[in-house]
């Protein structure tokens, strides 16, 4: 599998409305220029507009059990209808428990959508790999938003997770938390990761295009 970059725009003021769509456009341009797969997870209200700009759009969260008389939820079917390719599942800031994770992945798959299960460590990654998501993204919670990359501060989490998941079924493993520059990305790939998942460094960058291009080059 070719390595990839996944960008979670979260709900930062810097990714709100037009600013968020501009971040999607930049990701689209860098992906086109470098040939690197770049998944973007914009704010929920921007999913449909984002998928008109870039085809590789994921939701940040999906509600596996909603249908019909539920309020304020996002279903896999709605994500699909909005033109998206998949969803993050169980992000550290939106943890849902093992049973819900399995059901969310299955319902996404049933709709022909991809899934990226976020995990906090190696044992959780190996345990959740049995649900056969498209990707696993391991992110030590204490490094999220820290600017200190998991690939530098906790390389053993990256390599250990890659090895543990390889023993289960070989689901591609991304790593995230604090990933801030091309060097962090290069290190992640050297440790065996299939790519990186990041948020704040991209969303808050003075020059997001330059940063993303540097990260994409580091993958090649
Ligand atoms: O979803 C990615 C995220 O949790 C990592 O955040 O800001 O450390 O890149 P950040």
């Amino acid at each position: 599998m070719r390595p990839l970059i996944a960008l979670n725009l979260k709900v930062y003021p810097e990714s709100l409305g037009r600013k968020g769509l501009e971040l999607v456009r930049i990701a689209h341009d860098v992906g086109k220029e470098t040939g690197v797969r770049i998944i973007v997870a914009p704010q929920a209200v921007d999913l449909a507009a984002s998928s008109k700009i870039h085809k590789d759009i994921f939701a940040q969260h999906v509600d596996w059990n909603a249908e019909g008389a539920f309020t304020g939820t996002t279903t896999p079917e709605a994500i699909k209808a909005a033109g998206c390719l998949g969803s993050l599942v169980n992000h550290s800031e939106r943890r849902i428990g093992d049973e819900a994770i399995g059901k969310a992945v299955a319902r996404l798959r049933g709709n022909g959508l991809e899934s990226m299960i976020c995990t906090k460590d190696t044992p959780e990654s190996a345990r959740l790999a049995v649900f056969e998501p498209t990707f696993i993204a391991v992110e030590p919670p204490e490094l999220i938003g820290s600017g200190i990359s998991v690939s530098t501060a906790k390389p053993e989490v990256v390599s250990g997770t890659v090895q543990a998941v390889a023993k289960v079924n070989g689901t591609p493993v991304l790593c995230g938390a604090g990933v801030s520059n091309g060097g962090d990305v290069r290190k992640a790939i050297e440790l065996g990761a299939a790519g990186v998942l990041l948020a704040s460094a991209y969303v808050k960058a003075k020059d997001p295009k330059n940063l993303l291009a540097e990260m994409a080059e580091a993958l090649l």
Side-chain angles (χ1 to χ4, degrees):
M1 202 200 76
R2 281 167 49 222
L4 60 99
I5 296 173
L7 302 168
N8 179 1
L9 304 190
K10 300 198 175 179
V11 291
Y12 286 113
E14 293 89 342
S15 65
L16 191 65
R18 270 191 216 159
K19 288 182 276 185
L21 296 181
E22 182 53 23
L23 289 169
V24 173
R25 187 177 307 284
I26 291 169
H28 177 73
D29 291 348
V30 173
K32 232 173 145 187
E33 284 159 21
T34 60
V36 167
R37 180 175 183 191
I38 301 178
I39 295 170
V40 189
Q43 299 199 14
V45 293
D46 294 325
L47 286 174
S50 297
S51 68
K52 293 200 176 84
I53 298 169
H54 183 54
K55 74 170 181 48
D56 225 334
I57 298 294
F58 273 37
Q60 295 178 10
H61 169 76
V62 64
D63 294 289
W64 68 273
N65 60 341
E67 186 174 13
F70 281 77
T71 300
T73 51
T74 307
T75 62
E77 291 75 14
I79 290 169
K80 187 176 184 177
C84 304
L85 290 194
S87 183
L88 304 183
V89 175
N90 192 51
H91 189 274
S92 191
E93 290 145 8
R94 197 71 192 262
R95 284 172 66 85
I96 59 176
D98 286 20
E99 191 192 348
I101 294 167
K103 289 188 167 150
V105 170
R107 190 163 158 192
L108 287 163
R109 190 185 301 120
N111 279 281
L113 296 170
E114 296 186 330
S115 52
M116 186 180 294
I117 297 183
C118 299
T119 62
K120 64 175 166 42
D121 57 23
T122 299
E124 188 174 79
S125 304
R127 192 177 79 238
L128 297 177
V130 297
F131 295 130
E132 301 189 335
T134 317
F135 309 102
I136 284 182
V138 63
E139 302 195 303
E142 67 280 10
L143 293 176
I144 291 178
S146 69
I148 301 165
S149 174
V150 58
S151 54
T152 308
K154 294 203 159 177
E156 71 285 358
V157 170
V158 183
S159 51
T161 301
V162 170
Q163 284 161 22
V165 172
K167 282 189 196 139
V168 180
N169 57 12
T171 299
V173 173
L174 282 70
C175 66
V179 174
S180 303
N181 54 49
D184 295 339
V185 174
R186 196 167 297 113
K187 190 85 200 295
I189 301 303
E190 283 166 12
L191 292 166
V196 292
L197 170 62
L198 70 138
S200 51
Y202 178 65
V203 172
K204 297 181 178 189
K206 283 210 175 69
D207 186 342
K209 180 158 191 187
N210 195 42
L211 176 70
L212 193 54
E214 174 190 316
M215 290 182 167
E217 293 301 329
L219 282 187
L220 295 172

